[in-house]
C-alpha cells in the first residue's frame, strides 16, 4: 500500500536550537498513528510542517502526493488540525464560530453545522458566546470546527486535554467512527497512553526531536518487553511460593504475581494452576503502551 | 486569484467583533464626532459671530488671508465684505479639509493595528494559518474590516459636518458655501486613498510586531504627515488647492498599488507562523 504521508530526513531548528532532527516516517491511508513523546519533543512542530505552515530546514514531506509548501492550501483543504490552543473567537457564539470557519473551508452548509453541534452535544449552547464555555465545551467545539469540511486527514494534538470522562469517551468514539466509516487518516498526539492504546494502529515515539522508535503495539512489545508480569486471581497457595518451576510473589490473599519469560509460559502456567486450584482471572500487567514507552525511553536514555 | 468568500468572512467577523465591544466602537465614533462636527461648529460660532474689533490678535488672521493672495480662494474671500464672513469662509473651505484626513485614521487605526497581532493575542492566528485561504485574501479581509467602518464613519461625519456648517453659515452668507469642488475631491478621491494607505501600513505593522501596543504606536507614525499638512495650512506654508488635492490623492493611490503588490509577492503564512506561533 502506498503511503499517504511520507516524511524523509526532516530537520528543523528555531533560532539555532534544533527542534527536529532526521525525522523520517510514513503513514498509510486510513491508519491511526499515535505520536507519543514528552512536552517539547517536537510534536506540534511536526504537525505544523505537515500542514505547510512552517518550512523544514532540510528533508522532504509529501502528503497525498503533494508538497505542503508548494501545495499547502490543497493539503489544508483536505486536512483538519486540532491544536492545543482552542483557536476560537470568544466574542462570537458557537454557531457564529462554525459559520465563520465553514466559509474559510468553503463548506457554508448550515445543516452540517447543526449536525456537528448535535453530534458534539453543543446544540443547547450554540447561541452562547464561546467566552462563557467550559474547557470541555471549547474542546468539543474545536473538534466540530476541524470536522466541518469532512477532512481526509486529521491531526489531533491532545484532543482530550481538559475533558471530563464523558467528553473523553465522546471524542474517542467520534475519532474511531471517522476512521472506521470514512477511512480518515489520523495522526494523534496524547499524553494519556491508555487512550491511544485502544485507538491507534501504530505508534511513533518521539523524543528531543528524534523518532526513537516506531511500530505496532505488538511489534514494540516483542522488541522491548522480555518479561511478562502476570497477575492471577486464584485460590492457589504453596509454602515455597511456586507452582512447578514458576515462582510468584503474593500481591494479596487471593492474588499472585508471576514473572515469565515469554507468552508460551503463560498458557503453561495457567493450565498448571487450573489443575491445582480455582482461577478467577489473569492479567498481563506490563504489555501496555505505557510500559513499552518507559522501556523505549530507558533504552534511549530518556 | 483571491478568495472572495474568505475575504468577506474575515471582514464580517472582525467588524462583528468591533460592534460587540463598546470600548472599541465608542472612541471610533466619539473622537471623529468631536473633530469633524463639534470642533468646527464651535470655531464657526466663535469666528462667525464674534466681535473682531475688540480682539487684539486680528493681525494674525489678516496675515493668513494675505498669504493666500495668489490663490483662487483669495478672490472668493475678497468678495465678502465683513471679516467674520472672510474668516468663516477660510475655515469652511480651506482649514477644515485636512481634518477629514484625520477622521478615517482615528476610526481605523485601532482595528487595523489589532488585525494580526489581535489574532495572535487571542490565540486564533494558528486557526487562520491552518485553513486553506491564501494570505492575500486574509490581508484583504483584514484591510476591509478596518476600511469599511472607517469610511462609513467618515461619510457620516462629513454629512453631519455639512449639515451643521450649512445651518450655521446660512445667516452669514444667505447662500450655502458648502460643499466646494475641493471638498468633493477630498472626500471622494483623497480620503479613501489615504484611509487605505494608513490601514495597509497598520496591517503590515500588525503582522510584524509582537504586541498590540507596539503595533498601535508604530502605526501612529503615519499621522505625522497629516499633522504637518494641517500645521502648514494653518500658518500658510502650504496651500491645498484643487490640483494639489487631486495630485495628493493620485500619489497616495499609486503608493497603495505599490504596497498591495509588495504584500501579494511575499509568502506571509511562513513569516507569520515563524514570527507568531
Amino acid at each position: 500500500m502506498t503511503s499517504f504521508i511520507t516524511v524523509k530526513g526532516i530537520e528543523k531548528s528555531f533560532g539555532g536550537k534544533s527542534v527536529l532532527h532526521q525525522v523520517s516516517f510514513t503513514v498509510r491511508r486510513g491508519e491511526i498513528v499515535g505520536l507519543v513523546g514528552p512536552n517539547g519533543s517536537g510534536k506540534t512542530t511536526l504537525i505544523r510542517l505537515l500542514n505547510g505552515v512552517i518550512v523544514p530546514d532540510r528533508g522532504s514531506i509529501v502528503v497525498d502526493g503533494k508538497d505542503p509548501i508548494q501545495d499547502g492550501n490543497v493539503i489544508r483543504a483536505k486536512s483538519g488540525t486540532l491544536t492545543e490552543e482552542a483557536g476560537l473567537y470568544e466574542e462570537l457564539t458557537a454557531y457564529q464560530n462554525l459559520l465563520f470557519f465553514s466559509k474559510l473551508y468553503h463548506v457554508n452548509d448550515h445543516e452540517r453545522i447543526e449536525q456537528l453541534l448535535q453530534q458534539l452535544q453543543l446544540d443547547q449552547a450554540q447561541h452562547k458566546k464561546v467566552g462563557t464555555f467550559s474547557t470541555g465545551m471549547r474542546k468539543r467545539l474545536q473538534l466540530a470546527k476541524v470536522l466541518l469540511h469532512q477532512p481526509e486527514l486529521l491531526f489531533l494534538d491532545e484532543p482530550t486535554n481538559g475533558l471530563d470522562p464523558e467528553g473523553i469517551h465522546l471524542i474517542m468514539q467520534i475519532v474511531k467512527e471517522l476512521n472506521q466509516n470514512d477511512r480518515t487518516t489520523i495522526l494523534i498526539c496524547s499524553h494519556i497512553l491508555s487512550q491511544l492504546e485502544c485507538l491507534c494502529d501504530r505508534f511513533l515515539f518521539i523524543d528531543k526531536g528524534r523518532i526513537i522508535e516506531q511500530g505496532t503495539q505488538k511489534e514494540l512489545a516483542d522488541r522491548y518487553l522480555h518479561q511478562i508480569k502476570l497477575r492471577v486471581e486464584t485460590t492457589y497457595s504453596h509454602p515455597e511460593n511456586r507452582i512447578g518451576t514458576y515462582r510468584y510473589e503474593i500481591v494479596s490473599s487471593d492474588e499472585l504475581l508471576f514473572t515469565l519469560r515469554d507468552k508460551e509460559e503463560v498458557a503453561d502456567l495457567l493450565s498448571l494452576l487450573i489443575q491445582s486450584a480455582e482461577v478467577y482471572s489473569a492479567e498481563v500487567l506490563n504489555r501496555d503502551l505505557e510500559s513499552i514507552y518507559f522501556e523505549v525511553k530507558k533504552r534511549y536514555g530518556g | 486569484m483571491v478568495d472572495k468568500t474568505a475575504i468577506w468572512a474575515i471582514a464580517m467577523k472582525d467588524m462583528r467583533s468591533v460592534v460587540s465591544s463598546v470600548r472599541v466602537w465608542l472612541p471610533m465614533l466619539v473622537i471623529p464626532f468631536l473633530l469633524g462636527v463639534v470642533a468646527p461648529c464651535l470655531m464657526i460660532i466663535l469666528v462667525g459671530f464674534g466681535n473682531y474689533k475688540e480682539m487684539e490678535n486680528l493681525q494674525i488672521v489678516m496675515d493668513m488671508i494675505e498669504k493666500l493672495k495668489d490663490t483662487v480662494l483669495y478672490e472668493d474671500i475678497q468678495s465678502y465684505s465683513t471679516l467674520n464672513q472672510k474668516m468663516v469662509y477660510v475655515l469652511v473651505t480651506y482649514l477644515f479639509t485636512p481634518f477629514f484626513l484625520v477622521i478615517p485614521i482615528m476610526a481605523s487605526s485601532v482595528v487595523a493595528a489589532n488585525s494580526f497581532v489581535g489574532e495572535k493575542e487571542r490565540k486564533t492566528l494558528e486557526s487562520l494559518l491552518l485553513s486553506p485561504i491564501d494570505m492575500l485574501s486574509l490581508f484583504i479581509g483584514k484591510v476591509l474590516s478596518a476600511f469599511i467602518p472607517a469610511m462609513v464613519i467618515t461619510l457620516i461625519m462629513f454629512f453631519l459636518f455639512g449639515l451643521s456648517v450649512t445651518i450655521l453659515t446660512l445667516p452669514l452668507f444667505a447662500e450655502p458655501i458648502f460643499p466646494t469642488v475641493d471638498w468633493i475631491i477630498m472626500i471622494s478621491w483623497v480620503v479613501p486613498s489615504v484611509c487605505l494607505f494608513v490601514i495597509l501600513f497598520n496591517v503590515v505593522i500588525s503582522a510584524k510586531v509582537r504586541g498590540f501596543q507596539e503595533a498601535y504606536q508604530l502605526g501612529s507614525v503615519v499621522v505625522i504627515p497629516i499633522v504637518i499638512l494641517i500645521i502648514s495650512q494653518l500658518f500658510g506654508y502650504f496651500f491645498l488647492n484643487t490640483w494639489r488635492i487631486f495630485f495628493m490623492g493620485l500619489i497616495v493611490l499609486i503608493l497603495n498599488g505599490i504596497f498591495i503588490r509588495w504584500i501579494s509577492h511575499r509568502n506571509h503564512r511562513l513569516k507569520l507562523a515563524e514570527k507568531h506561533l
Side-chain angles (χ1 to χ4, degrees):
Chain A
M1 198 188 283
T2 54
S3 299
F4 193 49
I5 300 174
T6 307
V7 175
K8 269 189 202 157
I10 285 296
E11 302 265 351
K12 181 70 190 171
S13 58
F14 293 109
K17 187 176 176 270
S18 175
V19 178
L20 291 175
H21 182 67
Q22 280 300 315
V23 171
S24 300
F25 64 89
T26 58
V27 176
R28 289 188 292 272
R29 188 183 285 274
E31 253 191 328
I32 305 183
V33 175
L35 191 57
V36 182
N39 288 335
S41 56
K43 301 189 294 287
T44 307
T45 302
L46 194 55
I47 289 175
R48 286 174 183 163
L49 284 165
L50 288 167
N51 271 292
V53 169
I54 52 174
V55 64
D57 300 334
R58 241 174 260 124
S60 71
I61 300 173
V62 178
V63 179
D64 198 18
K66 307 268 188 237
D67 175 351
I69 298 301
Q70 301 302 320
D71 305 300
N73 280 340
V74 179
I75 293 171
R76 287 186 286 272
K78 61 173 77 177
S79 66
T81 305
L82 190 135
T83 54
E84 268 193 282
E85 303 288 354
L88 299 163
Y89 295 94
E90 307 227 326
E91 69 280 9
L92 302 184
T93 65
Y95 192 89
Q96 286 168 341
N97 264 284
L98 293 186
L99 191 62
F100 169 65
F101 285 104
S102 75
K103 285 174 184 168
L104 297 193
Y105 285 89
H106 300 107
V107 179
N108 215 0
D109 177 356
H110 294 258
E111 269 179 37
R112 175 76 180 147
I113 295 173
E114 272 155 27
Q115 179 211 334
L116 282 168
L117 284 166
Q118 207 165 8
Q119 192 181 1
L120 285 148
Q121 298 168 5
L122 289 165
D123 45 336
Q124 299 295 316
Q126 61 176 302
H127 298 302
K128 286 186 183 157
K129 287 190 177 176
V130 171
T132 64
F133 277 22
S134 66
T135 313
M137 287 166 88
R138 281 166 205 244
K139 207 75 181 180
R140 280 184 276 145
L141 183 61
Q142 204 190 346
L143 186 64
K145 178 190 92 177
V146 164
L147 299 180
L148 274 167
H149 56 299
Q150 295 172 297
E152 290 172 43
L153 173 61
L154 268 181
F155 298 108
L156 305 174
D157 197 354
E158 301 295 342
T160 55
N161 251 10
L163 290 177
D164 54 21
E166 286 84 358
I168 293 172
H169 179 75
L170 178 71
I171 287 199
M172 291 318 234
Q173 191 64 33
I174 290 171
V175 170
K176 221 181 264 183
E177 281 172 12
L178 278 168
N179 177 255
Q180 281 166 2
N181 302 340
D182 306 337
R183 279 193 77 221
T184 309
T185 308
I186 300 165
L187 189 67
I188 180 169
C189 309
S190 177
H191 288 131
I192 305 164
L193 301 184
S194 57
Q195 286 170 8
L196 294 184
E197 205 166 25
C198 50
L199 190 72
C200 297
D201 301 311
R202 280 196 311 122
F203 300 93
L204 299 169
F205 287 4
I206 186 169
D207 191 36
K208 295 173 189 144
R210 292 167 187 266
I211 300 285
I212 53 172
E213 191 51 276
Q214 53 184 306
T216 63
Q217 187 167 347
K218 185 182 174 306
E219 286 167 353
L220 293 167
D222 290 346
R223 233 173 275 162
Y224 286 88
L225 301 177
H226 303 300
Q227 282 186 330
I228 293 176
K229 290 199 180 294
L230 186 75
R231 185 170 59 194
V232 184
E233 190 184 355
T234 177
T235 53
Y236 182 83
S237 75
H238 188 276
E240 290 173 19
N241 289 358
R242 67 177 177 84
I243 178 165
T245 56
Y246 302 113
R247 302 196 65 82
Y248 63 81
E249 295 164 46
I250 298 168
V251 180
S252 66
S253 59
D254 58 352
E255 281 186 325
L256 310 178
L257 182 67
F258 293 89
T259 303
L260 307 171
R261 282 197 302 268
D262 52 44
K263 279 188 289 187
E264 280 67 37
E265 286 192 349
V266 176
D268 187 36
L269 169 69
L270 287 177
S271 69
L272 277 175
L273 277 171
I274 288 165
Q275 284 166 27
S276 319
E278 299 293 329
V279 175
Y280 302 113
S281 69
E283 186 188 2
V284 177
L285 295 183
N286 66 336
R287 287 186 74 85
D288 61 347
L289 192 61
E290 198 168 286
S291 307
I292 298 169
Y293 175 71
F294 285 114
E295 284 300 319
V296 173
K297 286 273 287 179
K298 215 185 286 173
R299 181 176 296 183
Y300 289 92
Chain B
M1 205 45 198
V2 291
D3 181 344
K4 284 180 195 160
T5 313
I7 289 173
W8 281 110
I10 291 159
M12 293 303 287
K13 183 265 295 173
D14 281 1
M15 285 191 277
R16 201 191 291 268
S17 297
V18 170
V19 173
S20 71
S21 172
V22 182
R23 282 192 307 175
V24 177
W25 65 255
L26 198 63
M28 280 172 69
L29 283 179
V30 170
I31 298 168
F33 183 72
L34 290 175
L35 193 68
V37 183
V38 177
C41 286
L42 286 176
M43 286 165 83
I44 290 170
I45 293 166
L46 203 72
V47 171
F49 303 97
N51 185 351
Y52 282 96
K53 284 175 186 160
E54 293 170 6
M55 291 177 74
E56 288 176 4
N57 52 357
L58 188 64
Q59 197 53 47
I60 295 173
V61 181
M62 295 307 291
D63 286 349
M64 200 188 134
I65 293 174
E66 276 308 301
K67 281 180 181 168
L68 292 168
K69 216 162 192 173
D70 296 325
T71 66
V72 181
L73 188 64
Y74 187 75
E75 289 167 26
D76 292 340
I77 294 165
Q78 294 312 315
S79 67
Y80 296 112
S81 54
T82 70
L83 190 60
N84 295 81
Q85 281 178 319
K86 287 179 182 177
M87 279 305 299
V88 168
Y89 192 79
V90 169
L91 283 176
V92 171
T93 60
Y94 176 69
L95 279 181
F96 289 154
T97 43
F99 281 27
F100 277 79
L101 291 176
V102 180
I103 288 171
I105 297 173
M106 294 282 182
S108 67
S109 53
V110 173
V111 179
N114 200 38
S115 56
F116 279 98
V117 98
E119 298 280 359
K120 183 207 164 190
E121 287 177 349
R122 284 184 293 181
K123 298 185 168 61
T124 47
L125 185 62
E126 192 167 13
S127 288
L128 294 178
L129 298 180
L130 286 168
S131 67
I133 52 163
D134 61 289
M135 289 296 98
L136 184 60
S137 299
L138 178 59
F139 265 87
I140 296 172
K142 289 288 176 192
V143 168
L144 279 182
S145 68
F147 184 78
I148 295 169
M151 282 311 296
V152 168
I153 290 169
T154 307
L155 291 175
I156 290 170
M157 294 309 153
F158 179 68
F159 174 77
L160 292 176
F161 169 80
L163 195 70
S164 326
V165 162
T166 307
I167 292 168
L168 288 171
T169 55
L170 263 182
L172 270 177
F173 294 90
E175 59 176 6
I177 58 165
F178 179 89
T180 59
V181 175
D182 289 3
W183 265 111
I184 290 164
I185 297 173
M186 180 62 97
I187 285 297
S188 62
W189 175 243
V190 183
V191 167
S193 285
V194 170
C195 182
L196 183 61
F197 182 80
V198 169
I199 291 167
L200 285 170
F201 184 76
N202 272 283
V203 169
V204 170
I205 295 279
S206 181
K208 288 191 175 295
V209 298
R210 293 197 176 273
F212 172 73
Q213 288 299 335
E214 201 182 337
Y216 191 65
Q217 281 163 5
L218 276 174
S220 304
V221 170
V222 84
V223 183
I224 293 171
I226 313 283
V227 174
I228 292 171
L229 185 73
I230 294 173
I231 294 169
S232 307
Q233 284 258 95
L234 204 62
F235 291 99
Y237 297 121
F238 181 78
F239 302 113
L240 276 179
N241 59 29
T242 310
W243 282 107
R244 280 177 179 171
I245 292 172
F246 177 78
F247 279 115
M248 190 164 84
L250 190 67
I251 290 165
V252 181
L253 197 70
I254 292 167
L255 286 175
N256 285 338
I258 296 168
F259 223 156
I260 291 167
R261 208 177 146 77
W262 178 75
I263 288 167
S264 64
H265 279 85
R266 295 169 71 88
N267 191 347
H268 290 280
R269 182 176 257 109
L270 301 177
K271 289 195 191 309
L272 278 169
E274 301 232 337
K275 185 114 198 156
H276 296 300
L277 296 185

